[in-house]
Amino acid sequence: QNKIMIELTASEKENATVEIRNSLGRQVLTKRLQVMTGKNLIELNVEDISEGVYFVTINAGNINLCRKIMIAR
């Protein structure tokens, strides 16, 4: 329960940044990685993040996604 898995499909090999921000916009986690062509599974450790609502932003080349998540234990 301390991990979030994100599946991302990329059209080419790219550098990516994944950020988690709280409802106030404060960044609580950043992960830089390289995604490969095709499906990628990104694992984020949220063990040190308090319960609540957060926004996950993924930037990789022409991919810009933002999704709302809830962390509950």
Side-chain angles (χ1 to χ4, degrees):
Q1 277 195 356
N2 293 324
K3 296 186 190 304
I4 294 175
M5 303 301 283
I6 300 171
E7 186 176 299
L8 174 69
T9 302
S11 58
E12 58 186 327
K13 183 177 174 179
E14 309 240 29
N15 291 321
T17 303
V18 180
E19 295 180 343
I20 297 180
R21 294 182 179 271
N22 65 16
S23 59
L24 300 174
R26 183 174 298 143
Q27 187 175 310
V28 295
L29 185 141
T30 299
K31 184 172 185 174
R32 297 187 199 306
L33 58 136
Q34 192 167 72
V35 294
M36 307 307 269
T37 302
K39 286 188 179 182
N40 294 268
L41 198 56
I42 301 168
E43 181 180 294
L44 301 175
N45 183 347
V46 295
E47 182 176 14
D48 296 331
I49 298 176
S50 302
E51 291 184 346
V53 175
Y54 294 87
F55 296 90
V56 178
T57 304
I58 301 171
N59 294 304
N62 62 352
I63 299 171
N64 292 305
L65 300 172
C66 184
R67 299 288 186 264
K68 184 164 80 170
I69 62 168
M70 181 176 289
I71 296 177
R73 295 186 175 85

